[in-house]
Amino acid sequence: MSTLGIVSRNRETNEMRGSISLLGRRNPIGIEIVPNPAKRSETQPDFRIYSGANELGAAWVKVSRETGKPYISLRIFHPQIAQWPIYANLGRAAGQDDDDVLAVIVNEAA
């Protein structure tokens, strides 16, 4: 599994802020994952992903079939980042005991 970056969750607002690093880019990209107040149906995302004023993608709360626990699935896409969407999940960052520090982990093709 590849880790693109780390985000920290604010428990009061459920917003997450951090950065991701991509090959071919000199500097990490700051990101914010914020709740989607406009969600009106199950198919709409639970979160929107931004870098400054640019929307980079969306995220959905899903439930693991194996553990039954909820997790957040991300879809990041912007033509200046990559030609194809990047699919990732948020999970506990390696070496972290803090449940509010999460790694952006790429879903690698099987």
Side-chain angles (χ1 to χ4, degrees), residues 12 15-18 24 44 53 59 64 75 78 84-85 94 104:
E12 292 178 15
E15 294 179 1
M16 294 163 260
R17 287 191 164 88
Q44 291 179 314
S64 170
R75 180 183 183 270
H78 194 279
W84 300 278
V104 179

Side-chain angles (χ1 to χ4, degrees), residues 51-62:
S51 180
N54 298 308
E55 186 169 350
L56 298 184
W60 292 262
V61 175
K62 296 189 176 186

Side-chain angles (χ1 to χ4, degrees), residues 27-50:
N27 298 316
I29 299 169
I31 62 168
E32 294 178 55
I33 304 170
V34 298
N36 178 13
K39 180 173 175 136
R40 302 284 181 257
S41 73
E42 288 301 312
T43 57
Q44 291 179 314
D46 295 295
F47 295 90
R48 298 284 184 190
I49 304 169
Y50 296 96

Side-chain angles (χ1 to χ4, degrees), residues 79-97:
Q80 291 177 331
I81 293 176
Q83 292 179 324
W84 300 278
I86 298 169
Y87 294 96
N89 295 327
L90 293 181
R92 180 170 291 206
Q96 276 293 327
D97 292 331

